[in-house]
Amino acid sequence: AVPKYSARELDLEWISGIRSFDRFDNVKYVSSRSCEDVVCHSGKICVVYNKIKKNQRFYFGHTRDVSCITTHPVLPIVASGEEGGEKEGGAIHIWNTTTMSTLAVLEGVHMGTILSLRFDPHGDRVLSVGQEIVAFYEWSNQARPSRCSGRTDLDQKSRVKPECIMSTQGETILH
């Protein structure tokens, strides 16, 4: 029999490859003066790759596959969204790339997969696009979304452009 190990029992050294055939916003530079770190995701794990040291650090906070990521405009902070399950939606994790610690988990609004995320220009709020709703969170106080839209026809191509301009696409809408 093959022994089963939990992620805590294994010492992960390197991850190669990302899911990109049906995902957007897969690879981003982490905000810093030197632009040394690049963040991406593979399965349930977010990877921070340091281009100078040529090493990887890992964020293990997600319980489902990561569907998208975005980086804070100034600080070494990432927001990562995950796929939704059969009975509950995906969560958004806000985490620090230096300490690899979770700063906030935003959940309970999206019923499906988080399709796209973007911080506002100041980094105080995060905009999330799900399969059924668009929400703005003030992530630092983990409050419920301040504004949301109840559209139910968003698809996998819906995403937020870098300028924090929202682009959604579905059967009946294109903004």
Side-chain angles (χ1 to χ4, degrees):
V2 176
K4 293 187 177 186
Y5 297 98
S6 70
R8 298 185 199 287
E9 296 174 294
L10 298 175
D11 186 20
L12 184 60
E13 292 180 11
W14 197 264
I15 291 180
S16 297
I18 61 171
R19 179 176 172 179
S20 61
F21 71 94
D22 65 345
R23 296 288 183 244
F24 303 100
D25 299 329
N26 283 331
V27 181
K28 303 281 185 182
Y29 275 104
V30 177
S31 298
S32 70
R33 291 186 179 146
S34 59
C35 287
E36 293 177 4
D37 289 336
V38 177
V39 66
C40 64
H41 58 89
S42 183
K44 298 176 187 177
I45 301 171
C46 291
V47 181
V48 178
Y49 171 66
N50 185 288
K51 298 185 313 179
I52 306 302
K53 297 177 184 173
K54 299 197 183 321
N55 66 0
Q56 292 182 343
R57 300 182 310 280
F58 308 102
Y59 176 74
F60 294 103
H62 287 281
T63 57
R64 294 192 185 96
D65 283 358
V66 177
S67 55
C68 59
I69 56 174
T70 193
T71 54
H72 193 279
V74 179
L75 300 173
I77 294 174
V78 170
S80 49
E82 62 187 24
E83 293 182 352
E86 288 183 26
K87 296 184 180 184
E88 54 189 32
I92 300 166
H93 289 239
I94 313 290
W95 50 280
N96 185 300
T97 62
T98 304
T99 64
M100 305 306 283
S101 61
T102 304
L103 303 175
V105 177
L106 311 170
E107 56 190 350
V109 173
H110 290 283
M111 295 308 297
T113 296
I114 310 296
L115 301 174
S116 185
L117 295 167
R118 190 75 62 221
F119 282 101
D120 73 351
H122 303 289
D124 300 327
R125 295 184 298 161
V126 66
L127 171 69
S128 63
V129 176
Q131 291 174 308
E132 78 302 337
I133 197 168
V134 175
F136 291 87
Y137 295 88
E138 291 183 34
W139 67 268
S140 60
N141 63 16
Q142 298 189 37
R144 297 285 286 177
S146 56
R147 289 173 280 181
C148 54
S149 168
R151 294 303 297 245
T152 59
D153 53 357
L154 302 176
D155 72 12
Q156 291 280 343
K157 294 183 177 84
S158 297
R159 61 182 179 263
V160 187
K161 294 182 179 180
E163 307 83 28
C164 211
I165 298 170
M166 188 181 71
S167 170
T168 60
Q169 181 174 327
E171 277 188 34
T172 59
I173 59 170
L174 178 61
H175 299 284

